[in-house]
Structures are given as structure tokens and as C-alpha cells.
Amino acid sequence: MLNRVVLVGRLTKDPELRYTPSGVAVANFTLAVNRPFSNQQGDREADFINCVVWRKPAENVANFLTKGSLAGVDGRVQTRSYDNNEGRRVYVTEIVAESVQFLEPRNSQNNQQNSGSQSNNNYAQGGYAPNQNDNRGQQQGGYKDDPFANDGKPIDISDDDLPF
Amino acid sequence: MLNRVVLVGRLTKDPELRYTPSGVAVANFTLAVNRPFSNQQGDREADFINCVVWRKPAENVANFLTKGSLAGVDGRVQTRSYDNNEGRRVYVTEIVAESVQFLEPRNSQNNQQNSGSQSNNNYAQGGYAPNQNDNRGQQQGGYKDDPFANDGKPIDISDDDLPF
Amino acid sequence: MLNRVVLVGRLTKDPELRYTPSGVAVANFTLAVNRPFSNQQGDREADFINCVVWRKPAENVANFLTKGSLAGVDGRVQTRSYDNNEGRRVYVTEIVAESVQFLEPRNSQNNQQNSGSQSNNNYAQGGYAPNQNDNRGQQQGGYKDDPFANDGKPIDISDDDLPF
Amino acid sequence: MLNRVVLVGRLTKDPELRYTPSGVAVANFTLAVNRPFSNQQGDREADFINCVVWRKPAENVANFLTKGSLAGVDGRVQTRSYDNNEGRRVYVTEIVAESVQFLEPRNSQNNQQNSGSQSNNNYAQGGYAPNQNDNRGQQQGGYKDDPFANDGKPIDISDDDLPF
DNA sequence: TTTT
DNA sequence: TTTT
């Protein structure tokens, strides 16, 4: 059924790249998306939207985006649940990005290191490339909780979370 | 910043209509949106996506949609947080529907009662009508938790949650 | 770059299915999408939006949709140009549907013939299935004009129009 | 009915700002949106998508965007037709932008002149502001053709084209 | 806690 | 050239 999300915002932190036991890359990041209207106190707020991206685009995200980078996401809303360490069921809504667009010019602020530049275009595209062969990274661990609460520690992401 | 969501799915329950202390209508509902792919067990799963709608469209949703109704939503992803009754901060991601389209023909299943039909069109549109005058309903109470965990009991929705 | 369109509307005519010389299916159809607002005469207008869909979903569209069917489209805006028979360049903007959702219950009006019903679901989904083997149909001809102006006559659609 | 488009691309030319006889601002511009895939010759193509924006955002677009600016558009697909000067009916599909996001940092290339900077944010948002009072500009003329073929010459845009 |  |  129709399920489509498009976002443009800035990463609140560096993305986190992991690999499932079978070697599939996953990156998590949060986009801060400013609201187009002010609240009753006259302030502009933002939404902090958790995103996940799989496979090759996950590695591109990890390589090209850092805290503060401007990025566009085209994807789907997904929901899942897990039992936290108090045995309580937790419900999660997040955006599965099918493609990620890098909107930060390559030569800007903290992106200096990427200025190698193979293209005549300062922006890069993290599209979805279906056929790849990508099982170098490996990672496991006793993880049984929300990835978003688990920065950097070893985890065990099930391949069941794969969105295709 | 760009933040756009479009969904088509079925209501998992009847929508819940409430009013803020100042009389603004809010309806909550969950859409079950079937995924276009099967999981590793070969089953088709669904995402259960929480939606909120304000003002006149909220009342239309409450009047025209029931459990199982097919509906389309055009809106934005929003995030908020609140402290639950154990003093723990809970983060919520939900879709604020700017317009809701009723995709269930009026004369179908349990919608029989609506077949009065003022229009020559069996489908109705719950668009956003900016200028209205809508402060009949009133509701208050000691609510300090997630609306989605609080079906039917008296609540106190802050006008701060208004998305405009 | 981000380019996303989501539509729900009704087919203005039966879809037209054709095949490229190399046997790839293409279907064209126009969606009438009612506007959510009235014009200055107080009338509700519609937009008549040309859509193209390729491969397996093209055949599904041809099999399941007819004039008047309610359908959802998730796709991209594409532009192309061609020289018409007066040697004038014509610019075309159309929606390339990546997936088409059938929103008409199978047992409705003129869809009776489809009520064989393999699934317990009255709605079908015309998703994009990347790996297929589809080169029965064949078609050729002296076509050098807009497909939309060429209903049913033999044509020669170039594989160059393939959106991937 | 659902009709939603989101685009990110670059202006192919400076936007054209005009006013209807009753003083409503309209801006036209074309976005070049790069395709995420290559054609059979291995080249990356772009779609050139005509956009229209009304009222205050039209003036913002005219003030802040120039040829080459990166911009995001959230809007709807609209179709219309007119009779050209050979008495032939021409069909037009274009995007009516409800909001335009400026993705070009204010201090970049040819945007130097805008670096006055009232905000602590280098990006500006051309959202839709419903209540305004905007009838300084005035313009009329014997226009009876496609606005996109009529750069800079006096025109007469009918208020009938207003999308609300 | 989930819809057809 | 338009659908319910």
C-alpha cells in the first residue's frame, strides 16, 4: 500500500554503521527537520526523525555524512517493536530510507576530507543499488534493545529487520 | 524544511476524537499499511502507523471512518516526548495528517449509516479548511501520558501540540 | 535528486498496453485527480495526469484497471521531448509510476470479471518486481509521435524511454 | 484526492515573477532534477520540471533564487490547457509549489547580494503564508499563450489559474 | 494493542 | 480527449 516519506534535514550526530551477522550494512541516523511554523511561544521547533538505511547506501551515508550535514531522504515509514531489558514491549516508528541525497557541498565545513571529488558535481547521491556484493564488515553481541539507545556498542541486528 | 508523508491503509480501530481545553478537535487513529514485500518467512507484514489530525478534518475522520476503513493521509512526520507515570521520558513519532481522504465507498460494509449522501460522489474528502469556528466540545482531566495509551478516558491535550 | 510523486485518482479511459521492440511492456493511462478546493465559479475541478508504467506492473495495470477504476500511484515526474509530424518539438511531462495500487474492490462495478480472487484480499498491488522474464509481446511500426496521441495504432517505443 | 510532489533540483534560469490583474504574485521556474540512474549510453540525464508558485512565496522565490540555485519544492501536479496562437489546444502539466525551500547557503556563489542575513540560519524557507496583503505589483497585456514561452514580456495571467 |  |  502507498507509504512514502520525503525529508530534508540535518544529521543530529554522526551516523552509526553496523553489520548484520550475515554481513549486511545498516546505518542509523537522526534528521532534525525544522518546522515551517512557529509554536505559541513564537519559536521554531524541529522534528527529530530516526532513519535507517541498508546496504550500499548505508555505507555511503557513513562515509559522506557527519553531524550537521544537510541530507534528503526518500523512503517509507516503518514500525517495529522489541522487548526492552525490563521486559516491556517498546514500539518504534522510523523511516527506512530507500535513497539518501547529500545536499552539503563536498567542500563545505567539516566535509573537507571528502574533497577528492571524482565528479564535476559537488553533491553526491546515495541511491539504492540492488546488486552488490557486500559482506566484509561483521559484528555481533548481546544486544536486545533499541539500536538508537546503543551508540557504538556491539549489537546483533537480525536480518529480519531487512526491509526487503 | 521538506517533510512530507503520504499513506494509504486501513484503520486498526475506530478513531478517537477529543478536544483541547480551548475546544480544538483532535482525532487519533492508527493506519495498518501493508508492506509491498514479504519477509523471510514469506509473510506479508504491515506497518501500524499512528496518525493525528486536528480541527474540522478531525471531526470528519471521527464521523466517516471506523475500524477497517480504507483511508489516505497526506501530512508530516512529527516527533514529541512526554514523561510517563514512571517518570521516564518517552519519545513518540507520529504522522500529523493535513488531509485525510476516505477511500471506502460510502455504501460499503459498516458504513451503511452514512449513506445519506449529500454529494453525487461516494467518496468524501477530509481536507484542511483553515477558517472555521469550532469550539463546542470541551474536555479536561488529569492526563499526563501518551494519548495512544488512554482510550476514551478524560484527557487534557495541550494546545501546544497544535501543529500550526 | 529527490523526485517523488504520489497520486490517487480514477482512470479516464482503459489503460493502453504496448511492448517495445525488445519486448518490454509499457502501459499508459491518465488519472483524473479531483482538486481539494473549488475554483472561483465554485466548481470542483480535476487534474488529468498522464502516467506511464513499465514491465510487470504495466501488465497488471492492463489486466486489473479499466476506465473509472480508483488507483494510487507512487512514482517520479519525468520530462521528455519529441518532434511531432510538423517538425515541431513537443515537451511532455508525465509520471513514471514505480508502483500502482488498485483501490477498487475486486467485486465492484465493471471489475466483475476479476472476481476469481486468489487472495483473501479484495485489493491487489501492482508493485515493481525487478527480476522477471517478459518478452512475449512484440510490436513495431512507423511511430514518430506522442504515444498519448496514438491510441491503439501500432507504435515503436524506443527502449531509450526505459526509466532504468 | 491525494496529489503530492516533492522535488529537489536546480533552477535552469532565473525565476520569472509576474502579477495577475488583481495584483497576485506568480513566479515560474524550471527545476533540473538529476535522475538517479543512467541511460543506456551510460549518461546521467535530468528532468526539467516546470513549477509555479503563488503569492508571498512567489516573491521569495524571485528574491532568493537565481539560475543554478538548489531548491526543494513541496506541491501538487496540475494540468491546464490553453489555445495557442495557431488556434491549437496545448496541454500543460506543471507543479504548483505550495512551499519552496532554499537549499543554497546564502553566502554561496552568485547569491552574495543576499548576505544581509536576518536569521542565524543560512538557509531560508519560502513557506505558504495564508494571510498577507499583497497588491503592489500590477501587470497586464495581450497575452494568450504559454507563460513558459513568454519570458519577460507583459502578460495577462487570469486569476482563474489561482490554485485556491 | 492492530487492518483487509 | 477526460474520472466518480
Side-chain angles (χ1 to χ4, degrees), chain C residues 1-10 32-41 45-50 70 76-80 84 86 88 91 93-95 158-164, chain D residues 1-10 32-41 45-50 70 76-80 84 86 88 91 93-95 158-164:
Chain C
M1 282 168 146
L2 289 177
N3 180 342
R4 185 52 57 182
V5 180
V6 182
L7 304 171
V8 170
R10 292 187 178 280
V33 181
N34 297 318
R35 295 189 182 165
F37 46 82
S38 304
N39 66 14
Q40 275 148 343
Q41 288 70 51
E45 293 177 74
D47 295 290
F48 299 98
I49 304 172
N50 292 331
L70 190 68
R76 303 173 49 87
V77 186
Q78 282 201 3
T79 59
R80 59 187 174 85
N84 70 9
E86 287 129 52
R88 195 194 298 279
Y91 294 91
T93 297
E94 61 205 350
I95 307 307
S158 166
D159 285 7
D160 293 358
D161 292 331
L162 265 167
F164 34 77
Chain D
M1 282 166 144
L2 289 178
N3 180 341
R4 186 52 56 183
V5 180
V6 182
L7 304 171
V8 170
R10 292 188 178 279
V33 181
N34 296 319
R35 295 190 182 166
F37 45 82
S38 303
N39 65 15
Q40 276 148 343
Q41 288 71 50
E45 293 176 74
D47 295 291
F48 299 96
I49 304 173
N50 292 331
L70 189 69
R76 303 171 51 86
V77 186
Q78 284 202 3
T79 59
R80 59 186 173 85
N84 70 9
E86 287 127 52
R88 196 194 297 278
Y91 294 90
T93 298
E94 62 205 350
I95 307 307
S158 167
D159 285 8
D160 292 359
D161 292 331
L162 265 166
F164 33 77

Side-chain angles (χ1 to χ4, degrees), chain C residues 16-148:
Chain C
E16 298 163 34
L17 180 66
R18 293 168 192 149
Y19 290 86
T20 65
S22 66
V24 180
V26 216
N28 290 298
F29 58 94
T30 299
L31 277 188
V33 181
N34 297 318
R35 295 189 182 165
F37 46 82
S38 304
N39 66 14
Q40 275 148 343
Q41 288 70 51
D43 302 321
R44 285 297 211 73
E45 293 177 74
D47 295 290
F48 299 98
I49 304 172
N50 292 331
C51 299
V52 202
V53 58
W54 291 88
R55 303 180 188 276
K56 192 59 192 164
E59 301 187 317
N60 293 335
V61 157
N63 287 330
F64 293 122
L65 297 179
T66 55
K67 178 176 174 172
S69 300
L70 190 68
V73 158
D74 184 0
R76 303 173 49 87
V77 186
Q78 282 201 3
T79 59
R80 59 187 174 85
S81 61
Y82 65 94
D83 294 311
N84 70 9
N85 29 33
E86 287 129 52
R88 195 194 298 279
R89 182 128 286 239
V90 180
Y91 294 91
V92 177
T93 297
E94 61 205 350
I95 307 307
V96 178
E98 287 168 7
S99 81
V100 179
Q101 188 186 2
F102 308 147
L103 293 167
E104 206 63 77
R106 275 254 234 295
N107 48 6
S108 74
Q109 5 125 248
N110 35 14
N111 273 30
Q112 236 74 316
Q113 71 278 17
N114 296 321
S115 46
S117 172
Q118 313 78 334
S119 84
N120 65 340
N121 184 331
N122 261 343
Y123 294 83
Q125 161 80 259
Y128 169 58
N131 7 354
Q132 65 203 278
N133 194 1
D134 195 82
N135 50 337
R136 39 225 146 111
Q138 225 75 359
Q139 191 143 18
Q140 59 280 103
Y143 173 73
K144 249 198 94 291
D145 217 292
D146 183 13
F148 288 99

